Amino acid sequence: MDAHEQIRTTQVVPVIALDDAAHAGPLGEALVAGRLPIAEVTFRTEAAVESIATMARNPELLVGAGTVVNVDQVDQAAEAGARFVVSPGFSASVAARCADHGLPLFPGVATATEIIAALDAGITTVKFFPASTSGGAPAIKALSAPFPQVRFVPTGGISPSNLADYLAVDAVTACGGSWMVPSAALRAGDFDQITKLAAEAVALAASLRN
Ligand code: 3PG
């Protein structure tokens, strides 16, 4: 599956900050065990590139790079084996470099102007970020009116308690968030908890849409 198909299937995307690349392998296995075989590994830590490279070796896992804000990071993500790129905002140069590498990009948008910039770059699935402080589900509904062709992956402030609000919006393909991979669980090496949280998130999303 490519990134678009995978996020449509699970409807949730774990956003991960790894401090220690040694956790990347077991984390990937934990997510696969929880039937959430996708990971957005953010470029917020030194361990990001090595973690992506490790996770990319797991054939059951689709690993992407998150918090990508410049073309050098796009190159590093591609080199490490990332299969998709997520950015907190829209950058035409990041979009062009992703296209050069054949990598799907989910750029962050919170306004109509940013959506138009993404459409100009040929992108129709965007991250809506930061979702909770940018108007939440009602804002996505409002933006969908002029942009019926656009699909949204809201991220930022989403948890099991408000997932239903977002998945109730037809234009929402999936929701991103860090709640499935808490940093405390990672630090403690509690991968069973991560499997449990991943499985619960997938089950909750499926129940909300069915
Ligand atoms: C992101 O980078 O997309 C967010 O930081 C994740 O937001 P959350 O921690 O509120 O889920």
Side-chain angles (χ1 to χ4, degrees), residues 109-190:
V109 306
T111 66
T113 301
E114 291 154 352
I115 293 172
I116 291 170
L119 289 172
D120 268 346
I123 294 165
T124 53
T125 302
V126 294
K127 168 173 173 164
F128 181 68
F129 179 80
S132 60
T133 54
S134 303
I140 300 173
K141 244 185 255 174
L143 286 166
S144 293
F147 301 109
Q149 74 277 48
V150 173
R151 290 292 167 270
F152 295 85
V153 184
T155 307
I158 301 180
S159 68
S161 65
N162 60 8
L163 189 65
D165 299 342
Y166 290 95
L167 289 182
V169 181
D170 285 344
V172 170
T173 295
C175 292
S178 59
W179 83 89
M180 295 153 269
V181 184
S183 45
L186 266 184
R187 270 197 305 274
D190 188 353

Side-chain angles (χ1 to χ4, degrees), residues 178-207:
S178 59
W179 83 89
M180 295 153 269
V181 184
S183 45
L186 266 184
R187 270 197 305 274
D190 188 353
F191 296 104
D192 288 346
Q193 195 203 343
I194 291 169
T195 294
K196 183 171 171 280
L197 289 169
E200 284 172 1
V202 172
L204 177 60
S207 74

